[in-house]
Amino acid sequence: MQFSFDVILHNLPYMLGAARFTLLISITGIALAIVLGTFICAARIGRSRVLRVLSGLYISAFRGVPLLVQLLLFYYMLPRIGLDLPAMPAAILAVGMCSAAYVAEIQRSALQSIPSGQTEAAEALGISPFALWRRILIPQALRLGLPSLINELILLVKVSSLASVVGIGELTRVAQNITGQTYRPLEIYITAALIYFVINFTLSQLGRYAERRLALT
Amino acid sequence: MEFDLFLRYGPDLLKGFGITLLCWIIGSAGGAALGFVIACLMRWSAAPVRWVLGAYIELIRGTPFMIQLFLLYYGGPYMGLVLTPVQAGITSFIVYGSPYFAEIFRSGFQAIPPGQIEAARAIGISEFTILRRIMLPQTLVLITAPLTNFVIILSKETAILSVVTVPELLFQTQTMAAETFTYVEPFLALSLFYWLLVVLTAELGRRIEIRATRHLKRAASST
C-alpha cells in the first residue's frame, strides 16, 4: 500500500476540528490542575493536621485510580447523586483533578528541596512570612519544579484522548473514526501524532522559555 | 457479585498481572537508565549530540505512546524488525519513558548551585566523583517525587500494551469479561491490582525520600 498524501489532505480539516476539543480540554485542564494542585500542596505541607490527612487521601485516590475509571465515575455516577454534568465539563474536571494530584506532589518536592536554612535565616532577619514566600520560596520552587511540571502537563495533553469515552469527538477518537472509513491507519495516525506533537512542542518551548527567564545566571 | 468467577479466572488474572509487572519493571528501569544516560550526555557532550538528543526528547515526548507502539509493532516488519508482542511492548516502553526520565534528571542537575561544581573541579575532584558524590545525592531530594509520579503513570500505561495483544492484566480482564458477560467483577479485580501497584510504589518513593532528605532534617532539628 502506497503512502497517500491525498488521504491526509482530505481528512485534515476534520482532524483539526477535533483538535480544537483536545486543546480546550488541555488548556482548561492545565489551568485547573495548576490552581487546584497548588492548594493541595499548601494543605499537604501546612500546619493543619486535618488538611494534611485530607490532601494525602486526595493524592492517593487520584493517583491510584486509573483516569479512565475516574472519567466514567464523573460522567455516569455524579448524576446519581443529583449532579448532572455535561460531557465536556466532566472530562475537564476529571483530567484536571487527576493531574492536580501529580502537580501537588511536584510542587511539594520542589519546596522541600529548598534548604531549610534559608527560611531560618529569613525568620532571623525578621522578613515577614508573606515576603518569605513571595521573594524567596516561590521563585526558587518554580525554577526547581518547572521541568517536571512540563512533563506532567504534556502527559495531560495526551491523556485528554480518554475524553472520547464520554462521547467527546476529540483528536484520537476522530482519527479512529476516519481510519474506520478509509482503512488508512498509517497516514491518519501519523497525522494525529503530528498534531499532538505541535501542541506538546509549543508547551515544552514555553517551558524552556520560562526556565531561561527563571535561571540563576 | 459472583465470587467463584475469581477462582476460575484467578490464575489467568495472576498470569496477566505477572506480565504487567514484567513490562512495567523492565520498562521503568530501562527507561530510567536510558533517561539518565541522555541527561548526562545533554550535560557533558558536544553541541551536535545535544541537538540530536534534544530532537529525540521533543519527538518522543510529543507523540502518544499508542502511536509509537503501533509504528514499532505494525510498522517494524516493513523495515525487517519483527518483534513478539512482549518484546515490542517492552522496547517501546523503554523508548517512551526515557525522555520523561531525562527531563526529570536534568531538572535535578540544574538545581545544584554551579558554585559547588566549580569548587569541586578547582580542588581536583574527578567529573565522575562529582556526579556520584555531589550531584546525585542532592538531586535525589528534588527528583524522588517526580520519579515516583512518573513510575506510577507508567504502571497504568502498561494497559495500552493490550492493543498489540500482549497478554497483560487488561487483556486478561477483557477476556474474562467477554467470556462470562460480567463487568463488575473483572474490572473490580483490575482496579485492585493497579491500586496495589500504586500504593506499593508510592510507599517505596516515600521511603527513598525520607532517606534522601535525612541531611536536611538533621540540619533543621539541630537548630
Side-chain angles (χ1 to χ4, degrees):
Chain A
M1 196 156 80
Q2 279 289 311
F3 192 91
S4 152
F5 286 100
D6 283 352
V7 179
I8 295 177
L9 276 181
H10 185 248
N11 288 298
L12 198 57
Y14 304 113
M15 297 184 75
L16 287 179
R20 283 209 325 259
F21 289 109
T22 297
L23 263 182
L24 180 65
I25 297 173
S26 305
I27 292 173
T28 41
I30 285 172
L32 181 63
I34 291 178
V35 174
L36 191 60
T38 308
F39 278 110
I40 294 165
C41 172
R44 189 95 184 97
I45 60 177
R47 295 234 167 83
S48 156
R49 201 183 157 74
V50 180
L51 282 181
R52 273 209 306 274
V53 171
L54 282 181
S55 55
L57 279 178
Y58 179 97
I59 291 172
S60 171
F62 278 86
R63 281 204 307 186
V65 179
L67 180 62
L68 182 65
V69 177
Q70 290 175 28
L71 252 172
L72 294 175
L73 283 176
F74 270 97
Y75 191 59
Y76 292 109
M77 292 296 166
L78 283 187
R80 294 261 176 96
I81 56 168
L83 247 173
D84 205 351
L85 280 178
M88 200 63 181
I92 291 170
L93 214 56
V95 169
M97 285 179 76
C98 176
S99 205
Y102 292 96
V103 170
E105 280 292 280
I106 290 169
Q107 291 177 337
R108 183 182 61 79
S109 79
L111 277 172
Q112 283 184 345
S113 67
I114 299 172
S116 52
Q118 291 191 9
T119 310
E120 288 158 17
E123 277 164 5
L125 288 170
I127 292 174
S128 73
F130 179 74
L132 167 72
W133 281 91
R134 196 173 113 63
R135 298 279 178 197
I136 299 172
L137 295 179
I138 290 177
Q140 294 190 80
L142 269 183
R143 181 170 62 82
L144 293 171
L146 201 60
S148 301
L149 187 66
I150 295 293
N151 258 355
E152 173 55 32
L153 298 184
I154 285 176
L155 284 169
L156 189 154
V157 173
K158 289 196 265 181
V159 100
S160 70
S161 66
L162 285 180
S164 59
V165 297
V166 293
I168 295 171
E170 47 67 58
L171 187 51
T172 302
R173 166 52 63 90
V174 167
Q176 282 170 343
N177 289 349
I178 296 175
T179 304
Q181 287 169 8
T182 58
Y183 297 103
R184 290 285 192 167
L186 198 63
E187 286 90 344
I188 297 300
Y189 283 129
I190 285 180
T191 314
L194 278 178
I195 297 176
Y196 276 112
F197 175 73
V198 170
I199 298 174
N200 287 327
F201 187 69
T202 315
L203 201 54
S204 70
Q205 288 310 306
L206 279 177
R208 294 259 192 268
Y209 172 73
E211 258 178 64
R212 275 200 301 277
R213 286 288 306 265
L214 292 166
L216 281 177
T217 45
Chain B
M1 290 288 276
E2 294 179 51
F3 285 101
D4 52 322
L5 279 179
F6 291 126
L7 287 179
R8 195 139 48 91
Y9 282 91
D12 283 349
L13 289 178
L14 277 179
K15 224 183 288 168
F17 186 57
I19 291 174
T20 292
L21 267 184
L22 178 82
C23 293
W24 175 55
I25 291 173
I26 299 181
S28 309
L34 188 58
F36 182 69
V37 171
I38 293 173
C40 288
L41 285 176
M42 285 291 274
R43 199 178 165 86
W44 282 294
S45 64
V49 181
R50 285 208 304 272
W51 294 333
V52 172
L53 290 175
Y56 171 84
I57 290 178
E58 294 301 344
L59 202 66
I60 302 289
R61 209 160 60 135
T63 51
F65 178 52
M66 198 163 83
I67 291 174
Q68 294 167 13
L69 185 62
F70 270 153
L71 286 178
L72 182 71
Y73 186 63
Y74 294 114
Y78 289 100
M79 294 173 280
L81 188 70
V82 183
L83 295 171
T84 66
V86 176
Q87 286 168 344
I90 292 176
T91 313
S92 55
F93 223 61
I94 292 173
V95 171
Y96 169 72
S98 60
Y100 292 93
F101 282 116
E103 282 291 289
I104 293 173
F105 283 118
R106 185 177 67 83
S107 77
F109 289 162
Q110 273 184 348
I112 293 166
Q116 287 188 14
I117 294 159
E118 286 159 16
R121 280 193 192 131
I123 54 174
I125 297 175
S126 74
E127 288 293 317
F128 181 72
T129 313
I130 292 177
L131 178 68
R132 200 168 93 77
R133 295 281 183 192
I134 299 172
M135 296 176 71
L136 278 183
Q138 299 189 73
T139 301
L140 221 52
V141 181
L142 174 67
I143 66 173
T144 310
L147 279 182
T148 315
N149 264 355
F150 189 65
V151 171
I152 287 175
I153 290 174
L154 279 184
S155 78
K156 288 184 278 184
E157 298 231 5
T158 53
I160 294 178
L161 297 180
S162 63
V163 298
V164 294
T165 68
V166 174
E168 47 71 73
L169 191 56
L170 180 63
F171 189 85
Q172 301 288 7
T173 310
Q174 284 171 333
T175 312
M176 178 179 170
E179 284 177 6
T180 59
F181 299 103
T182 55
Y183 291 92
V184 177
E185 290 88 350
F187 282 96
L188 191 70
L190 173 94
S191 305
L192 275 178
F193 274 123
Y194 278 117
W195 183 74
L196 193 70
L197 270 189
V198 172
V199 168
L200 289 179
T201 318
E203 180 58 26
L204 185 70
R206 208 178 61 85
R207 296 250 164 116
I208 296 175
E209 212 175 299
I210 289 172
R211 271 193 74 89
T213 53
R214 269 179 315 180
H215 61 287
L216 296 176
K217 296 278 159 47
R218 207 175 295 153
S221 61
S222 65
T223 49

